[in-house]
């Protein structure tokens, strides 16, 4: 994905009739389509027998951004902050362009680094004033539910959260040495951002999904990339945690409704939707 953008990928929930939006954000070196597509070419976010069949009144969107090229002078937190700010802008403008009702809630589905981007975005938006011309603050206010999949919220076993990113990035090939340097140097910034998110986490229903199978590295070794300790946000409120019998890359890929873990994910989404719409009807949202 060379240009950050939002694509509407399903036909469920015509804009004027949808009760809520679901926005999916891929991870490091991911793709708005392929990151969610299983080996049998089923993309559960848009397949008519999968999520659209369950979330009938949803507008389901995917967000794409480019992380395959990292500037020599740009540090990781600055890069991620920039991606996050563009995410906020794109979502707010998309909702304005499609005349989306201001109170329509959003549920985010974020894989791996996409979860870090989302946390940056929510923190960034929450610090804006409603008077801003594009009302970036609304991004934080309409977000009601979040599903994190394999997001490294903190380091583990002596490995920093930044070093975990290096291992994930290495899955796609040779690791760029500049990226490695920036990741390690700026690990403390990533850890600080986790605390900032926890301070606003009571506004959202959060569920963290973590891998239970090791990933196969390019050198043939097996490694658990983001174990439960790292994937579950310490200190967050309204938090649930569920393990899936999958490796890191397959956490968000399902071949059919019968695929292992799919029911756990969809049930979580359905319960989240019911809670959000119930609170919205009672005026809590």
């Amino acid at each position: 994905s060379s240009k950050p953008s939002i694509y509407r990928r399903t036909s469920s929930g015509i804009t004027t009739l949808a009760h809520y939006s679901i926005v999916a954000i891929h991870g490091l070196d991911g793709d708005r389509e392929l990151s969610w597509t299983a080996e049998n070419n089923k993309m559960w976010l848009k397949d008519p027998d999968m999520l659209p069949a369950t979330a009938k009144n949803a507008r389901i969107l995917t967000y794409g951004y480019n992380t395959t090229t990292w500037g020599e002078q740009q540090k990781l937190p600055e890069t991620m902050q920039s991606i996050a700010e563009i995410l906020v802008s794109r979502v707010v403008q998309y909702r304005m362009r499609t005349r989306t009702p201001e109170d329509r809630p959003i549920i985010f589905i974020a894989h791996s680094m996409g979860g870090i981007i989302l946390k940056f975005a929510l923190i960034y938006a929450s610090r804006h004033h409603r008077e801003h011309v594009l009302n970036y603050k609304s991004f934080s206010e309409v977000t009601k539910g979040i599903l994190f999949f394999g997001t490294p919220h903190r380091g583990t076993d002596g490995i920093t959260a930044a070093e975990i990113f290096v291992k994930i990035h290495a899955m796609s090939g040779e690791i760029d040495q500049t990226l490695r340097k920036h990741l390690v140097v700026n690990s403390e910034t990533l850890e600080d951002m986790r605390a900032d998110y926890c301070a606003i986490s009571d506004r959202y229903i959060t569920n963290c999904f973590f891998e239970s199978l090791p990933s196969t590295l390019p050198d043939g070794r097996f490694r658990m990339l983001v174990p439960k300790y790292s994937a579950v946000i310490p200190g967050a409120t309204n938090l649930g945690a569920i393990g899936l019998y999958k490796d890191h890359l397959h956490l968000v890929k399902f071949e059919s409704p019968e695929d292992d873990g799919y029911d756990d994910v969809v049930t979580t989404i359905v319960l989240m939707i019911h809670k959000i719409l119930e609170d919205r009807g009672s005026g809590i949202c």
Side-chain angles (χ1 to χ4, degrees):
S1 306
S2 59
K3 182 179 179 181
S5 59
I6 293 175
Y7 279 171
R8 181 174 174 184
R9 306 308 303 176
T10 80
S11 59
S12 69
I14 298 173
T15 300
T16 55
L17 300 178
H19 296 161
Y20 51 93
S21 296
I22 296 175
V23 181
I25 308 172
H26 64 72
L28 196 65
D29 291 342
D31 179 86
R32 66 166 64 89
E33 288 272 347
L34 297 180
S35 292
W36 315 97
T37 303
E39 280 75 3
N40 63 349
N41 290 323
K42 290 284 188 179
M43 206 274 228
W44 65 285
L45 297 175
K46 71 174 183 179
D47 187 278
D49 295 325
M50 301 184 78
L51 186 59
T54 303
K56 296 182 183 296
N57 294 314
R59 176 174 63 181
I60 304 175
L61 312 164
T62 59
Y63 181 75
Y65 61 95
N66 182 25
T67 59
T68 56
T69 303
W70 301 78
E72 284 291 321
Q73 304 300 320
Q74 194 166 33
K75 298 179 180 180
L76 180 73
E78 295 169 0
T79 303
M80 296 171 75
Q81 181 69 42
S82 176
I83 295 171
E85 291 175 8
I86 294 172
L87 167 63
V88 173
S89 176
R90 290 285 191 271
V91 169
V92 170
Q93 291 183 56
Y94 182 88
R95 287 169 65 91
M96 292 176 64
R97 189 169 66 251
T98 57
R99 299 182 180 179
T100 301
E102 291 184 2
D103 63 344
R104 180 185 293 167
I106 298 177
I107 294 173
F108 280 102
I109 299 174
H111 180 226
S112 194
M113 175 179 148
I116 302 298
I117 298 295
L118 177 59
K119 290 196 297 182
F120 264 119
L122 290 168
I123 293 167
Y124 169 73
S126 68
R127 292 172 177 169
H128 270 74
H129 296 291
R130 288 190 181 87
E131 291 72 24
H132 188 281
V133 64
L134 289 177
N135 191 10
Y136 285 171
K137 192 175 185 67
S138 67
F139 179 95
S140 174
E141 294 175 334
V142 298
T143 298
K144 300 301 178 182
I146 304 168
L147 288 80
F148 291 110
F149 288 83
T151 296
H153 300 287
R154 60 174 169 175
T156 178
D157 297 330
I159 301 175
T160 66
E163 290 169 327
I164 292 175
F165 276 129
V166 171
K167 298 181 187 303
I168 296 172
H169 189 80
M171 290 288 292
S172 62
E174 185 66 27
I175 182 70
D176 180 82
Q177 293 305 311
T178 301
L179 172 60
R180 180 190 296 273
K181 179 182 68 175
H182 289 332
L183 282 166
V184 174
V185 169
N186 293 284
S187 179
E188 186 176 345
T189 303
L190 298 177
E191 297 286 353
D192 290 344
M193 188 266 293
R194 175 179 58 82
D196 290 338
Y197 173 77
C198 286
I200 61 173
S201 63
D202 61 338
R203 306 174 188 178
Y204 319 117
I205 303 172
T206 305
N207 278 273
C208 297
F209 291 86
F210 56 92
E211 61 218 55
S212 299
L213 293 179
S215 298
T216 305
L217 302 182
D219 61 7
R221 291 182 300 154
F222 296 93
R223 184 186 296 275
M224 196 77 76
L225 291 181
V226 186
K228 179 180 179 180
Y229 179 86
S230 178
V232 179
I233 312 172
T237 57
N238 299 330
L239 179 69
I242 300 174
L244 300 181
Y245 197 63
K246 291 177 174 287
D247 65 20
H248 187 75
L249 293 181
H250 290 87
L251 275 175
V252 291
K253 297 183 178 185
F254 303 98
E255 295 190 350
S256 73
E258 290 72 43
D259 201 352
D260 194 278
Y262 179 78
D263 191 57
D264 292 320
V265 173
V266 172
T267 299
T268 299
I269 293 174
V270 169
L271 293 175
M272 188 177 285
I273 290 170
H274 288 169
K275 175 62 176 173
I276 291 169
L277 295 182
E278 178 183 294
D279 289 347
R280 187 185 186 192
S282 63
I284 297 176
C285 289

